[in-house]
């Protein structure tokens, strides 16, 4: 039922000469959620965004954005979306207020001055509203750019690496704005190189690799595919083999060694494994410990383990 989804694509393909950038992209993004688009460089993320925002025409496949066909109703799609690219698109010679009023007039928004003032307040730019945008810091320019993309209150907002190069404070302001938008019903597609950002914001993640969606799910679901990282640090290198045997038995995974630290680790998919049990088993095997830990996986682990890019480097 397409009304459930703000973005729904099936089999999208795009070639640039001999380069097959998208090889059948299937994507379903529920209305009012944040979907994080992750993947290695060259995986097709930016091409996917350019297609879904009507900047490129697909060679094959279909998509509906906010209920409109991507190709046959491209103009209607553009009226429903907002886009913030990797680089700020604001005019540095204009003030922040003038930039937003210009965007409002171009989009024929009623009350352009009032809408500009509302967004300047929302993004913490009211005090700098009458300064030229060229005097803004990188974080302020990104916030102004995001404000410009919201002039028309889009149903679907595309954010292509919106916080690249920003300091933590500016990044947090944009994160807060994204959360507010989804709470109001806006659907957000977010591409990012910051996996913590996707973990913080995304309800679902599409892991794109080689022009296709290789894995989808919530951050927790994707992490569950990886398992828990188990590491043991021993006092004496002579017992590393014993420690590895215990980890092999408990996890069923091939242990890896860090001989400089007298450490051995493995990945466990056994959700019942606990730290007390691990310590008891090592003690019973006569392994004197300096440290033992169980660390839940991160999206970095997901990214590294579930993409062909990593697998080829490791081969």
């Amino acid at each position: 039922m397409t009304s459930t989804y703000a973005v729904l694509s099936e089999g999208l393909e795009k070639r640039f000469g001999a380069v097959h950038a998208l090889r059948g992209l299937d994507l379903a993004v529920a209305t009012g959620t944040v979907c994080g688009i992750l993947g290695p460089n060259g995986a097709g993320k930016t091409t996917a965004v350019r297609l879904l925002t009507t900047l490129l025409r697909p060679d094959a496949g279909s998509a509906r954005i906010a209920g409109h066909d991507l190709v046959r109703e491209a103009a209607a799609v553009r009226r429903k979306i907002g886009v913030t690219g990797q680089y700020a698109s604001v005019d540095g010679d204009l003030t922040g207020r003038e930039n937003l009023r210009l965007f409002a007039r171009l989009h024929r928004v009623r009350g352009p001055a009032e809408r500009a003032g509302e967004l300047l307040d929302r993004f913490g730019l009211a005090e700098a509203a009458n300064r030229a945008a060229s005097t803004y810091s990188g974080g302020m320019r990104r916030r102004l750019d995001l404000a410009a993309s919201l002039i028309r209150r889009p149903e679907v907002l595309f954010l292509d690496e919106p916080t690249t190069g920003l300091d933590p404070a500016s990044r947090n302001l944009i994160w807060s704005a994204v959360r507010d938008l989804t709470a109001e019903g806006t659907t957000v597609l977010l591409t990012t190189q910051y996996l913590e950002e996707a973990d913080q914001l995304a309800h679902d993640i599409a892991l794109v690799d080689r022009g296709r969606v290789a894995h989808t799910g919530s951050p927790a679901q994707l992490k569950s595919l990886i398992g828990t990282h188990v590491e043991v640090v021993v006092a004496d290198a002579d017992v590393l083999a014993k420690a590895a045997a215990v980890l092999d038995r408990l996890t069923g995974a091939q242990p890896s060694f860090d001989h400089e630290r007298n450490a051995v680790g493995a990945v466990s998919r056994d959700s019942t494994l606990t730290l007390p049990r691990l310590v008891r088993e090592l003690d019973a095997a006569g392994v004197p410990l300096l440290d033992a830990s169980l660390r839940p996986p991160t999206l970095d682990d997901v990214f590294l383990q579930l993409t062909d890019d990593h697998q080829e480097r490791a081969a």
Side-chain angles (χ1 to χ4, degrees):
M1 191 167 65
T2 57
S3 60
T4 304
Y5 301 103
V7 177
L8 185 64
S9 73
E10 296 180 272
L12 285 181
E13 296 192 18
K14 186 64 183 178
R15 286 181 179 271
F16 300 98
V19 178
H20 205 167
L22 292 183
R23 301 168 179 264
L25 188 83
D26 299 324
L27 192 62
V29 182
T31 301
T33 65
V34 178
C35 178
I37 310 294
L38 305 182
N41 290 333
K45 304 185 300 297
T46 296
T47 299
V49 170
R50 294 180 70 192
L51 278 177
L52 295 172
T53 56
T54 76
L55 296 176
L56 291 174
R57 188 182 180 93
D59 296 326
S62 63
R64 296 188 69 81
I65 312 296
H68 296 284
D69 184 271
L70 180 66
V71 175
R72 294 194 304 270
E73 302 175 279
V77 169
R78 287 191 285 271
R79 287 193 293 269
K80 296 289 187 178
I81 66 174
V83 183
T84 297
Q86 296 180 24
Y87 305 100
S89 61
V90 297
D91 188 330
D93 292 332
L94 300 179
T95 67
R97 189 183 307 279
E98 288 168 341
N99 267 285
L100 294 186
R101 291 181 67 175
L102 173 62
F103 277 98
R105 288 197 297 271
L106 288 172
H107 290 298
R108 299 178 181 176
V109 172
R110 291 183 179 178
E114 292 77 6
R115 182 61 176 156
E118 176 187 334
L119 288 168
L120 288 165
D121 287 336
R122 180 170 193 169
F123 286 94
L125 296 170
E127 291 186 4
N130 297 318
R131 284 169 39 196
S134 60
T135 68
Y136 285 13
S137 67
M140 293 169 69
R141 286 175 68 91
R142 294 301 286 161
R143 281 183 275 149
L144 182 61
D145 201 40
L146 181 53
S149 70
L150 298 176
I151 280 287
R152 286 184 303 162
R153 296 181 174 88
E155 292 185 25
V156 183
L157 177 63
F158 292 84
L159 300 179
D160 192 10
E161 300 188 22
T163 62
T164 297
L166 298 190
D167 60 80
S170 295
R171 190 173 301 150
N172 285 334
L173 282 171
I174 289 182
W175 289 2
S176 178
V178 171
R179 293 189 183 101
D180 289 345
L181 287 169
T182 54
E184 295 166 4
T186 301
T187 304
V188 177
L189 265 74
L190 168 74
T191 71
T192 179
Q193 295 291 344
Y194 298 114
L195 300 188
E196 179 195 4
E197 184 163 82
D199 209 355
Q200 287 281 336
L201 295 177
H203 299 90
D204 290 291
I205 287 172
L207 185 59
V208 178
D209 200 17
R210 296 180 179 270
R212 296 187 180 93
V213 175
H215 299 275
T216 60
S218 68
Q221 288 170 334
L222 291 182
K223 290 174 189 177
S224 72
L225 300 176
I226 302 301
T228 300
H229 289 255
V230 183
E231 185 181 69
V232 171
V233 182
V234 299
D236 189 341
D238 292 339
V239 298
L240 270 176
K242 283 186 178 181
V246 172
L247 292 191
D248 189 8
R249 175 165 52 82
L250 290 177
T251 68
Q254 180 69 37
S256 60
F257 294 89
D258 181 344
H259 291 284
E260 290 186 3
R261 297 172 51 237
N262 285 346
V264 59
V267 176
S268 173
R269 291 184 172 83
D270 180 2
S271 60
T272 67
L273 180 60
T274 63
L275 189 59
R277 179 185 169 198
L278 173 64
V279 172
R280 286 196 304 269
E281 295 282 351
L282 290 164
D283 185 58
V287 178
L289 285 176
L290 287 181
D291 191 23
S293 64
L294 272 67
R295 178 179 66 79
T298 65
L299 280 184
D300 295 72
D301 300 318
V302 171
F303 184 88
L304 289 173
Q305 291 296 323
L306 297 183
T307 62
D308 288 342
D309 186 57
H310 164 73
Q311 292 163 12
E312 287 183 357
R313 288 196 302 268

